[in-house]
Amino acid sequence: MSEEHRAGVDRAGRARADVRQALLKSAFAHLYPGIAPGEWQPAAVMANLVLSVRPGSRSLTLVDRERVLDERHFQFRGLPSAGTQDDQRRSRLEDRRQRRAEAQ
């Protein structure tokens, strides 16, 4: 697999819609030394970069690791992660159960 393909960019230089990407906003670059602002990266790569510059990040639980990229500090494009989709499905299921309970 080529470097471009792994980075969420197709051979024509367009962002791949099937890869969730994140961009560090310039205003928050000082909080993440060593991470270039204004550059799109696959969200998983960006999360690993953030974890590498944060003190104590190695002890984060899996749940904490899923919320590494602060939505105030990063922009996103592409499909949400599978974990996000699972959360959305779970939420819809809970909503349906609540509506059924209220209707009874």
Side-chain angles (χ1 to χ4, degrees):
M1 189 177 302
S2 74
E3 186 69 30
E4 288 180 326
H5 185 74
R6 281 196 309 266
V9 176
D10 68 12
R11 287 192 171 87
R14 297 178 304 250
R16 290 181 43 213
D18 62 333
V19 175
R20 184 74 165 160
Q21 295 185 332
L23 172 143
L24 174 60
K25 296 176 183 177
S26 296
F28 299 100
H30 66 282
L31 298 174
Y32 305 93
I35 299 177
E39 293 182 9
W40 289 104
Q41 295 284 340
V45 170
M46 188 67 78
N48 286 336
L49 290 170
V50 168
L51 289 171
S52 72
V53 299
R54 274 181 149 172
S57 63
R58 296 194 188 277
S59 63
L60 291 176
T61 66
L62 183 58
V63 172
D64 294 331
R65 289 175 65 92
E66 291 177 4
R67 305 285 182 235
V68 167
L69 302 179
D70 188 324
E71 292 184 5
R72 296 168 297 179
H73 302 172
F74 294 87
Q75 283 181 261
F76 299 93
R77 69 181 180 188
L79 293 175
S81 69
T84 301
Q85 291 171 351
D86 289 345
D87 289 345
Q88 290 170 348
R89 276 193 291 276
R90 219 176 350 266
S91 174
R92 288 190 299 264
L93 176 61
E94 291 167 3
D95 290 344
R96 286 193 303 267
R97 286 179 180 158
Q98 183 177 3
R99 283 194 300 268
R100 279 189 219 130
E102 290 170 356
Q104 293 176 352

